[in-house]
Amino acid sequence: MFGFGKDDTNALTMNQPHPDSLLDTGVQGVISKPLDRVDGPKKVTGTATYAAEYAIENCAHGVLVSATKGHAKVKSIDADAVKSIPGVIDVITDYASFIRNPQQGGETEAPTQGVRTVDYFGEIIAIVIAESFEVARDAAKRLKVDYEPLDGNFDYEANKDQAEPAPDGLIKGHYDQGDFDKAFENAAVKIDVTYTTPSQNSAAMEPHASIAVWEDGALTLYGAYQMPTSDAQQLAKSLGVSQSKVRIISRYIGGGFGSKLGIAPESVAAAIAAKRLNRPVKAVMLRQQVFDATVRRSNTEQRMRLGAEAGGRIVALGHESITSNLPDEDFFEPVGIGTHFLYAGENRRINHDVVRLNWLLSGSMRAPGEAVGMVGMECAMDELAEKIGMDPIDLRKINDPEQDPELKVPYSSRNLTRSLEEGAKHFGWDQRQKAGQRREGDWLIGMGVAAACRSNQLQQSAAKVELHPDGSATVSSAMTDIGTGSYTIMAQIAAEILGLPVEKVTMSLGDTNDPPAAGSGGSWGAASAGSAVYLAAERVREKLAKAMGVKPENLTLKDGMAIGDNRSVPLAELVGKDGLSAIGEIKPGQQEKQFNQASYGAHFAEVGVNVVTGEVRVRRMLGVFAAGRVLNAKTARSQCLGGMTFGIGTALTEELIHDSRTGKLVNHDLAEYHVPVNADVPQLEVHFLDERDIHANPIHAKGIGELGISGAAPAVVNAIYNATGVRVREMPITLDKLLDHLPAL
């Protein structure tokens, strides 16, 4: 998907450290500043165009039809009965069900056309096309489907003893080091506890939506997708056409959190319908269908076994999880992904098993692995500290390793201990009391802490930078902005290197006609696409130096002026009538093998628990994070605030409930799936540690979006224990799990 002319391309494979960065020597002074989002005015005025909002002439409306059985064969669909409804154009049933898509954005085999076997309740089996949305919705509700029921597995508890080892994926399914059983048996202090988390939904504000337009045998799809480059590959394969015939435009996305990594059913349905009808088709998933037929985070059951010396040094670390997914799916929630490198301990067992159920597809949701895996790990650390009689921060510091405990390679940068110490100072950790000791009227008050970690990844990405004769610049890439601030931080990178005010940089993102990029996922977007922008701007800068007759290292760019050799020249005089342009391309290399690259942090929470009602209120929360260079202090802070809010949801409110008879999601909308609302979220405080990671990329930045959720939930859970002395190990901690164990008035 890559490949450009050598003269105009600045390509870098990260085989060596990159200690010198133009972001440190630039004098424009915009990098890292808390600048407002450049796309903000469009969003607040309603002029930012989201997937369903493009004004396409002669566009028909499609409504998806969901299966009403948990596992069955589709015997027949009575399409003719609804085709007679005025305004109905067609009912299409012979398209690929692409819900079981590669949520990581990888390759997939072309699926068979038409859903003949329903694997879970809510699976999409048809699309009704009409002249208006209202008619299509009415016809879809009336569509009669005849099923032949099949035996299915719908009950997790009844089937978990049939769990099978997970295949190796993002991490190894099963991992053993040393002699865990012996070390645990002989440990001076040990705990053996089980934590559970339920299925969760990304619940992004914008539903999945697509508008499909065919012209001259080529498809343009306006969609809500995080990774357009790989999504176009998937869509082309599903349609049986060349990738060159598929263009995805995804300029603005109203949140994704992983649910929009791979293509969802509405894109394939709209594309096939549009081709058949020879006119554009819009398909927007209903909110309930977003819950029923996109992707969920798997439920988890985590057995934590920690064995330590009397002084707190861990000698045995066991993290064994059971998750769930559909039959034949390779993806599993990588619950122990952070456990592999967070703490020391020579004897280790980190296993993942999967129960095969006829439930909605399990896939990536914000911080797959760490978001829920850290609940088990960090709550177990809290329990171990309690049993030893240590401060939980001291226990973590004692077990902060000097190198990766498994790979035996150094960390590219690591500021876990510093994050804990800085957070303790800002939060007032020294005021924490023993469990159940602090009370204010009917409220029990407690503090909790948890570490945060998130693996850092660099993905191949490209971007183009053009410097125009008027001294303005355009940056283009298939990178996306899902609300994270991509438009802003990439404009800042280009502006800093080219010496331009940010308002002189125009961004073009989310179009596969532009240079391909990894997109938004895995917290790799800013570092990967941002590095591509850096490299392209660096090449343009070199061209400016050549035009001015100075060495690049002797060139200073500021406020649209080039300064060098005792001369100051407007950029417009150097670029020529055709302007200057270059493409930057970044690839991962040996640095990711020679170093463990990750971001770190610490979460602190204070809660109040009402002894009368069992209600939990998060009173305050603080996070300290170290993630390399912060490219924009405001957008980075916003990402951490969002992650911390996610953590509150995991700890207290969020839970998808599956009917054990059919697998149906009982609470498949925002009325009954309880994400934290304003009243649930206190004032959140975020601090960043100054850090540069020269092994990660040329801009020295690491992923931060998912670091903010990692460890957030267990900080709240541990605070609840400190407040009440009651240890709840089943998430979310709703009042019914506390009420019977609270002290009397």
Side-chain angles (χ1 to χ4, degrees), residues 382 427 429 432 446-450 603-607 714-720 722:
D382 200 66
F427 194 70
W429 183 254
R432 178 177 179 265
M447 295 183 185
V449 66
H603 290 277
F604 294 79
E606 179 181 278
V607 304
V716 176
V717 176
N718 291 337
I720 292 172
N722 181 246

Side-chain angles (χ1 to χ4, degrees), residues 58 75 110 180 201 256 258 345 402 427 450 466 544 559 571 647 670 728:
N58 195 34
K75 295 174 63 178
F180 171 80
N201 188 271
E402 295 184 359
F427 194 70
E466 300 170 271
L544 287 170
D559 295 331
L571 294 184
L670 292 174
V728 181

Side-chain angles (χ1 to χ4, degrees), residues 130-261:
E131 295 293 348
S132 71
F133 167 74
E134 290 78 10
V135 171
R137 180 179 59 181
D138 179 56
K141 288 183 177 180
R142 297 190 191 193
L143 192 66
K144 293 183 179 179
V145 181
D146 188 18
Y147 301 94
E148 177 185 329
L150 299 172
D151 292 334
N153 294 327
F154 308 119
D155 190 331
Y156 169 79
E157 290 294 335
N159 287 277
K160 70 179 183 180
D161 60 341
Q162 302 298 314
E164 59 190 48
D168 291 346
L170 291 175
I171 58 174
K172 289 183 177 294
H174 278 212
Y175 179 85
D176 265 274
Q177 176 179 301
D179 190 337
F180 171 80
D181 291 324
K182 182 178 180 180
F184 184 74
E185 181 181 355
N186 295 331
V189 185
K190 50 193 171 185
I191 61 167
D192 185 346
V193 294
T194 298
Y195 281 82
T196 63
T197 63
S199 295
Q200 298 175 340
N201 188 271
S202 295
M205 186 177 295
E206 178 197 23
H208 294 61
S210 291
I211 300 176
V213 182
W214 288 88
E215 188 174 3
D216 297 328
L219 170 67
T220 297
L221 187 98
Y222 301 89
Y225 287 108
Q226 298 176 223
M227 301 168 59
T229 298
S230 59
D231 292 329
Q233 294 173 343
Q234 296 173 28
L235 188 54
K237 184 168 289 189
S238 73
L239 298 172
V241 300
S242 167
Q243 184 185 342
S244 64
K245 296 292 186 180
V246 176
R247 177 189 184 189
I248 290 182
I249 296 175
S250 186
R251 301 226 181 262
Y252 297 98
I253 306 168
F257 311 116
S259 70
K260 297 170 183 173
L261 287 176

Side-chain angles (χ1 to χ4, degrees), residues 21 102 105 127 233 344 693:
S21 176
I127 183 171
Q233 294 173 343
D693 194 331

Side-chain angles (χ1 to χ4, degrees), residues 179-414:
D179 190 337
F180 171 80
D181 291 324
K182 182 178 180 180
F184 184 74
E185 181 181 355
N186 295 331
V189 185
K190 50 193 171 185
I191 61 167
D192 185 346
V193 294
T194 298
Y195 281 82
T196 63
T197 63
S199 295
Q200 298 175 340
N201 188 271
S202 295
M205 186 177 295
E206 178 197 23
H208 294 61
S210 291
I211 300 176
V213 182
W214 288 88
E215 188 174 3
D216 297 328
L219 170 67
T220 297
L221 187 98
Y222 301 89
Y225 287 108
Q226 298 176 223
M227 301 168 59
T229 298
S230 59
D231 292 329
Q233 294 173 343
Q234 296 173 28
L235 188 54
K237 184 168 289 189
S238 73
L239 298 172
V241 300
S242 167
Q243 184 185 342
S244 64
K245 296 292 186 180
V246 176
R247 177 189 184 189
I248 290 182
I249 296 175
S250 186
R251 301 226 181 262
Y252 297 98
I253 306 168
F257 311 116
S259 70
K260 297 170 183 173
L261 287 176
I263 60 174
E266 98 294 331
S267 63
V268 181
I272 290 180
K275 190 169 188 179
R276 177 175 297 185
L277 301 181
N278 195 30
R279 64 182 286 192
V281 170
K282 176 194 293 189
V284 181
M285 298 188 86
L286 307 177
R287 178 64 63 186
Q288 291 82 1
Q289 290 174 331
V290 171
F291 275 80
D292 286 338
T294 56
V295 65
R296 67 182 170 94
R297 191 199 299 279
S298 173
N299 58 309
T300 76
E301 182 173 324
Q302 305 173 45
R303 184 185 183 188
M304 300 299 311
R305 286 185 286 175
L306 299 180
E309 297 173 347
R313 189 178 72 86
I314 295 173
V315 295
L317 191 160
H319 194 171
E320 298 167 275
S321 63
I322 304 175
T323 61
S324 64
N325 210 344
L326 286 161
D328 303 321
E329 286 292 332
D330 289 336
F331 178 87
F332 64 92
E333 182 75 22
V335 177
I337 193 168
T339 308
H340 278 288
F341 62 86
L342 183 56
Y343 296 119
E346 284 300 310
N347 304 287
R348 311 164 74 82
R349 176 170 296 159
I350 305 171
N351 290 347
H352 301 78
D353 293 333
V354 182
V355 179
R356 300 299 177 181
L357 298 175
N358 292 107
W359 285 5
L360 166 66
L361 173 73
S362 166
S364 292
M365 181 174 154
R366 191 175 192 175
E370 293 100 337
V372 287
M374 296 287 282
V375 172
M377 185 69 248
E378 289 301 284
C379 290
M381 287 292 283
D382 200 66
E383 294 203 46
L384 181 62
E386 179 85 6
K387 195 165 187 178
I388 295 174
M390 288 185 71
D391 184 288
I393 292 179
D394 291 338
L395 177 64
R396 288 169 171 83
K397 289 165 63 176
I398 287 173
N399 290 285
D400 190 353
E402 295 184 359
Q403 64 174 2
D404 186 299
E406 297 174 9
L407 301 176
K408 309 303 182 185
V409 298
Y411 295 100
S412 60
S413 66
R414 182 176 169 107

